[in-house]
Each structure stands twice: as C-alpha cells, then as structure tokens.
Amino acid sequence: TSIALFLVELSVCDYFFVTSRKSVVAIAAVINASEPGRFISFGSPHGAYQTLYQNDWHMHVEKLLLGIGYVTDWREISSARERLWSLYRQSSESALEQ
C-alpha cells in the first residue's frame, strides 16, 4: 500500500534505522499499514514474552516468515513499528488524514 511505502521512505531519513535490517523495516511497515491510525505492539508466542495477536493478519505474517525460515525478532519489529508510527504522526501526511 502507499502507507507502507511512505513508512519505508520515512525510515530512510531517521538515524534510528541505520543498523536495522531492511527486512525488519519492511515487515514493520507492512504490519503498520494493515492497521492504519493505531499502534498496538505484539509479540510472538514463540518468543521470550507473549502478547496477544491483534488480528489474524499478524498470525499469517508469522506463519509466512516461519515457513521461509526467517528468524524473527518480534521485539525488534515492535520497536521499528513504534518508531515508524511516531515518524508518521509527525509527518505532514498524517496531518492530511485529520
């Protein structure tokens, strides 16, 4: 979606993402775009901490990533999601929606 692309573009301008894997930024942007207007962090039931899934979309993403053998650090993705939402809320794009 265009929101996911915009979130990825925002990440390029933020030093926070310098050491982030591109895949983490992409996953965070896609998940955030699937939940426009709100941010609720979540975790993997396989990780060190557990948080309930917010909808089936998150479960499908995790199954896909596990299926292709991608090692997922949900805490890293959750941090990226939070930072992307923060950047989005500060952007002029967010002001247009209000």
Side-chain angles (χ1 to χ4, degrees), residues 1-93:
T1 69
S2 60
I3 293 174
L5 290 173
F6 183 69
L7 291 171
V8 170
E9 289 172 3
L10 286 175
S11 73
V12 173
C13 303
D14 190 13
Y15 188 75
F16 175 87
F17 293 103
V18 167
T19 59
S20 297
R21 293 180 290 166
K22 292 179 269 188
S23 57
V24 167
V25 176
I27 293 165
V30 168
I31 292 173
N32 280 5
S34 75
E35 297 178 345
R38 63 189 175 102
F39 167 73
I40 302 171
S41 57
F42 70 100
S44 167
H46 309 293
Y49 66 103
Q50 293 187 12
T51 306
L52 295 175
Y53 285 100
Q54 301 308 312
N55 59 38
D56 288 340
W57 173 247
H58 297 110
M59 188 170 275
H60 292 299
V61 169
E62 182 167 14
K63 284 182 182 178
L64 171 70
L65 296 173
L66 286 172
I68 62 172
Y70 182 83
V71 178
T72 309
D73 180 350
W74 289 105
R75 287 173 288 203
E76 184 180 10
I77 292 171
S78 185
S79 292
R81 291 185 66 203
E82 188 173 341
R83 185 63 174 217
L84 287 172
W85 273 130
S86 175
L87 292 171
Y88 183 77
R89 286 185 198 109
Q90 295 172 29
S91 72
S92 59
E93 186 81 13

